[in-house]
Amino acid sequence: MAITKPTSIKLPGKGQANGHAGGDGQRTPKTPQDEAIAFFTADHDGEPVQVWELLLEDDGGPAEGKSYIRLPPPVRPYVLRVSIRPGTEVSRHGVLKSDFPIDGGVFQRGNWKERKLPSDMSKPIQIDLPISAPGAFCYFIEYDGPDPSTPRITGRKGYFNVDPIVSLPQRTPFFPTDTTPTANPLNDASSGAVLPKSTNVPLDGLIILSVLAKWMGPTTDWEPHFAEASRRGYNMLHWAPLQQRGSSGSPYSIKDQLTYDKAILKNPDAKDGGLKEIEAVVKLAKEKYGLGGVTDVVLNHMAFDSPWLESHPEAGYSPDNTPHLAPAVELEDALLSLTSKLSSLGLPTSLNSESDLQALVPHIKSAIDEVRIWEYYVFDVQGSVTAVAGSLLNSDPKPKAWGGADPGSKSVSELAEIVRHQAGMIDNYRAYSGRYSTQVRPDIAAGFIQAAYPGESPENLASKWGKILDVLNVDLYAECNDDVKAAVDGVVGRLRFTRLEDGGPKMGPITEEHALIERYFTRISKNDTTAKHSPAALVVANNGWMWGADPLKNFAEYPSKAYLRRQVIVWDDCVKLRYGTKPEDNPWLWEHMIDYAELLASTFDGFRLDNCHSTPLPLGVAVIDAGRRVNPNLYIMAELFTGSQEMDLKFVRELGINSLVREAYNGDGVKNFADLLWRFGLGKPVGSMDAACLSSNEELSPPFGKGAPRPCVVTPLNGSSPHAVFYDLTHDNQSPLDKRTAEDALSTGALVTFSAAALGSNKGFDDLYPKLLDLVTDNRLYEVSTAEKESGIGKVKRVLNHLHTEMMEGGYSEGHVHEEGQYIMIHRVHPITHKGFMLIAHTAFKGFSGRGWIKPIKLGRTKINYLFGASISTRFNEWKDDPKTHKGIPSTLTEISEPAIRTGTDGDGEYQEIVIPDVFEPGSIMVFSTAMEGIAPDLDSLIKSGAAEAFADLDLVDLNTVLHRADGEERDATGGDGVYTIPNYGSLTYCGLEGWMHPLREIMKTNDLGHPLCAHLREGTWAMDYVLKRLEKQTGDLPRLAKPIEWLSERLSLIQSSAPSFMRPKYFALVIYEAYKASRRAVVEQCSEFVSSGHNFTHDLALCSVQMYGLVKSASINPSKPVASLAAGLPHFAAGWARCWGRDVFISLRGLFLTTGNFIAAREHILAFGTTLKHGLIPNLLDSTRNPRYNCRDGPWWFIQNIQDYTKMCPNGLAILSDKVKRRFPADDTWVPWDHPRAFEYESSVAELVQEILQRHAAGIEFREYNAGPNLDMDMRDEGFNQKIWVDWETGLIYGGNRYNCGTWMDKMGSSDKAGNKGLPATPRDGSPIEITGLLKSTLTWLDGLCKAGKFPFKGVEATIKGKSRTVTYKEWADLIQASFEKCYYVPSDPSEDGKYEINSSMVNRRGIYKDVYGTPKDREWSDYQLRCNFTLTMIVAPELFTPEKAVGALQIADAVLKGPLGFKTLDPADSQYRGDYDNSNDSSDQAVAKGWNYHQGPEWVFPMGWFLMAYLKFDRIAGEGKKDSSRTLHYISNTLRNHAHHITHDPWRGLPELTNSNGSYCYDSCNTQAWSASTILDVLEEMHKIGQK
């Protein structure tokens, strides 16, 4: 009688939300995921929500190692946050799709729910998925293609599995956390009692005992078995299949999946097939004995005598549905027939020797030959020749004209090759589906042979066709012969193993029942039910396995010939099931197995998937989904042998497997065994940093848009490995006695219980069964022990199993595995309380004896308390096989007295060590409790507390000291102390926290406790001393450092005084990271809204403004007192006169100070440089205003541009125009020392400084640098010290410079006598550089506006034009530039338009661009036409000068020609002067590169990338691709910036470099982090932020 199927669960109709009324007014049932909606939309209790953050790659797929994420049981709802870096391709109208029921309701695989990705590219991209339902889910991102015409792109898939909530009865603990352990746990009879209340057990807390019901008797006899398992500490029973067995007796040969085995039922005739009886007994096991239930789900085969096969033979593989099996069936029939003839042939039926076996071999071959297997392979030559002749002679059928390549003049072999390879010519080639099924249609063959031999007679043609087939048959006969030989070898080999070899079963005589061969096929009997089926359908293949085969390839399906070649180790009681790949391939079988799964899920807590690797993935998915529809918290464990970690992962993530079966006895030696324990059972190493250090406290916005924000803890996800259910020994493998020794059961069983995994065992292991039991033929019963008389290792297992669950429930997540000689030690530690348990086990591999050698086990600053120990001795000679009961080997379990535990001291303080007793035989174990002494149980929370408050009051200069400080800066500040050097690692980049964070980031992420920094911390506390003392030295200058110093001192002192050395790395990392996060937060909170609301890349760049801005006394911007200054770059421009450069400051000031909101620093630098205005110029080198140098023509224009930006970006910014500055030099430009009476004797307003710059340029500037000569510049020629700047009043353009000086940012002066470039600038740019023109135009336009608004006290400049002195208004000057700009600078794409522009056509190298300079002297006029990156700056500051279409064209050329991964080429690679790799130490005679002369002749500078992107952002939206869809422009820019974000994240300097060599390659001479590189990128991001706000 079939079991009644469980009542179907009603699913909500389409469009109905769970928990809401449907169309009929009824409410649909609440689903697990609905709990998340209720939780997150209700009032919260203040308890932080856990947020697990998964950062995806830029293509929207999971990073390496993150394709599978395992999440904990959602006992309390939590959030999975999917994060993506802004601006990646996937943000192009991206949508996160997942079959996770985001909005509640039931899970339906392939029903994709959606969340649109945020479109603001200046903000973090995060999608929060509230989790309250277990299961296996998939996700991917879909997004627009690169252009509108391309289809949407589907990204790589990722998977996350949510563990089920396993609820079991609670038990009284053996080792309560708040009491002293009992004196002898082995004799504790009271602990482990099952309580009448439930608790949620983590998967690692499961301890599973595999049992066979047929060895337990009927259900009425099961309760003693439950009592024994419960007493021994098991909390889950793994039931081998309980369904009705086939006649073989194997529980895995299931006759009827929908009824239970009558042999175990109290009422075998129950109408429900035993459902209620099994449900009742499983319920009893759980409620009374605390034993959940997992049962095998057998999907790959069913019993050969199952009545289902009579009705549905299509469920199996037969020649009817798998035709290539036909010759295998014929071969087997022949050998079965031979079995019955052996006696009549005078052949031996009992094999007693190899000669007996060899006597059979010729007859085996003959029997196979008689069935003419070769006919399944070859062409029927005679038949085909006759048919072709009929076609040729009688047009029956009419020859088909040949349409392939000309076969004429080919040899027979060549013609055969054409036939073999011509698509569609041969039917059933190598199909083996019938005798002579391989053929060529006669009309096709006739047409081909006619084409091959034109003019030949039909008779000759037919004959020659036969010759071609003869050639083709050669390989087919050879193939058949090889297959038949393999079959003969397979048969003979199995006969030898099963009848002769000592390791085989010694099956005895060959009979009809035990035939010559094992039956590969089941012959379904013929009766009224089967009569409707084809005879070929009634021969179905049996299941089995193959040595060394790919487990993922189905050996029953074409093209496998495993059945024919007799390569399958067959289970002749099991028919292999044929599912295909989808339900439509075998509807009945799929529906039947889903009914089976639903039946089991209604009764049991979990499934074990038997031979999961052989189960088609789609079927496995369907079955597990069906089970989870009935029981959402269904636990899935699987036996999986794919041979590949990646394939294991595929099964785990796609099926939603919770645990993979792993086995300790796969370790074939101590080291290998220890490796298994480490791999599957370590958990995390002691002192792990990832969870404690990388988690951060944040605020969670309501995931469903309702409710208040909640506190949350965000923890990054680094990917998961499949969870293990770690068996000491599975129920179907050899015993300890067979594999190692019987005594090893104690040591191995104990070691496994100290693993951070679900555990598994079997009763035979605990009871010391001497050999593997045959679960098919053995029908004896288990012997049940009692509490008073435990058998085998049950007494020890009782304590260890309970201890395991208590450790896993209690959070002892960290472990240490130590292997030494014959010993393995495992120490489990709680990461917060620092209490632990330690096991010392002497393994008992074959050949081990005595104590062996091991040194004392030493633990620093740790109290060790002995709990118990035991050894076991077995007496196999006394064991007797019992015909009715399974008996274990007689044994004696001996308790071990407390060993010597010595106390001592070393450089790390007090320690204790365990001395292994003199008598400690293999198999012996000892268990200890441990507690780190002196270390506070709340040390983690104590360290994390107060950081925000301690660092909150620091200003940005303080934070520069705390976070950064390069070596040169620190030495300047402290008088000699530099960066810290870690032995075997090297020097840090920074003295501050950022220096430590570079190694710590990777250490914390991967728990790399073997890193040199960790080793250094274990060896001593020098690093901690350094962190503190360097700050203490600087409180005089920076008194606000006192609070951070106090915070650090308290925590570092506590670590030094209380933490064992092996814990120092964790707590040092925790202190540094907490301080770092607090400091970083303090920076961000002092920044602008643009920064504070931005993503991590924006924050990283904002940190660069702090990185570059610090108190360096030798580079103060005030000559009389220390004032913080901006460095040009690090490490080369850290201190002294070389730190602060006028041009660099004012290229950098807008991005680093104004966009971030540091207006005070911006104003200080503007005023400081304003004091030094001289000759109408600001200095290039400030040198604290003591010895400024005036040799940059672009500096004053950058200076004014920043004043303009300040007035527009700073609140009340225009007030700066009225600010007064003391002038460093007298009004007549006389050079005086900084402390001379005439220095600082008069003052000017900032507005007057601006006007002075304009007026001096309008009048013309000409002077010789003060102190000109080698003392000022040892490389410059004398003429180079002469400075001249003037205005061409025809065009309004400013000219300046000469061949021997370089007054713009491209200022490389040659210094090689050998190469002849000394004193020659590589890029003098003497003329009118395009960026100066742009900055001038920007200034004039700005001032004209201020003047008209009455906010600037001047109207223009006085100039002498054509001999007459007059006033030129700002607008008049600006209009001159507007009128002349493109005429002077643009190089038209069409040469025919050259007449409209100032063009020397012979000089043009590239068209559609803007000149770099206008008006270079004629001897170097070619340099005007060089394509460089400077025109993009003009596009930013004075876009009105450009025709948008021309601008876009020039930008597109620059994009294609100049753009590199990080920076912009400084010269067109097509230019003859291009040299892309900078090496300042080059001492060759090559003038172009010697001493780095090519500094600006090709190397890729980073800051012009910002100019380019700003220009692109402007003009592409006006006249480019972004005109129709501005998001395309934003995506292009964001995509470009991915390289910059990646660089700053991974580089130890945490900045953007000055430049790179060609194609982004590293440049040794570059500053590793440069102020203007970060600045211009910040400008871009700020502009994108503004666009996003619109």
Side-chain angles (χ1 to χ4, degrees), residues 276-455:
K276 290 181 180 177
E277 185 174 332
I278 295 299
E279 284 180 341
V281 77
V282 169
K283 182 179 180 183
L284 172 72
K286 177 182 278 190
E287 293 182 353
K288 185 174 180 179
Y289 295 99
L291 298 169
V294 170
T295 187
D296 275 296
V297 177
V298 181
L299 300 174
N300 300 316
H301 49 250
M302 67 169 62
F304 74 102
D305 53 352
S306 171
W308 292 114
L309 290 173
E310 295 185 2
S311 303
H312 296 282
E314 77 277 6
Y317 289 92
S318 67
D320 184 62
N321 56 43
T322 313
H324 83 289
L325 292 176
V329 174
E330 293 238 22
L331 185 146
E332 179 164 293
D333 285 342
L335 293 177
L336 290 174
S337 177
L338 176 62
T339 298
S340 63
K341 300 175 183 177
L342 292 179
S343 296
S344 64
L345 293 171
L347 296 172
T349 56
S350 293
L351 302 184
N352 299 311
S353 66
E354 181 67 24
S355 61
D356 288 344
L357 174 60
Q358 291 302 319
L360 299 179
V361 173
H363 297 273
I364 292 171
K365 293 179 178 177
S366 176
I368 295 174
D369 288 343
E370 287 175 5
V371 294
R372 303 165 67 87
I373 296 296
W374 50 267
E375 291 181 352
Y376 285 90
Y377 289 73
V378 301
F379 294 90
D380 178 4
V381 178
Q382 289 303 318
S384 183
V385 167
T386 300
V388 169
S391 175
L392 293 168
L393 291 167
N394 305 318
S395 294
D396 182 21
K398 183 179 180 181
K400 184 177 181 180
W402 174 249
D406 183 10
S409 304
K410 303 287 186 183
S411 67
V412 171
S413 295
E414 290 172 328
L415 292 172
E417 285 303 302
I418 292 174
V419 172
R420 190 195 317 272
H421 296 294
Q422 181 70 28
M425 191 165 185
I426 303 177
D427 292 334
N428 299 317
Y429 184 61
R430 300 180 70 190
Y432 326 110
S433 54
R435 297 183 184 275
Y436 296 129
S437 61
T438 303
Q439 55 187 282
V440 178
R441 278 172 37 199
D443 56 334
I444 294 174
F448 173 73
I449 203 68
Q450 284 179 329
Y453 298 101

Side-chain angles (χ1 to χ4, degrees), residues 1235-1249:
D1235 53 358
H1236 190 279
R1238 293 190 65 192
F1240 304 108
E1241 70 176 351
Y1242 80 104
E1243 64 182 18
S1244 302
S1245 69
V1246 171
E1248 290 168 340
L1249 296 177

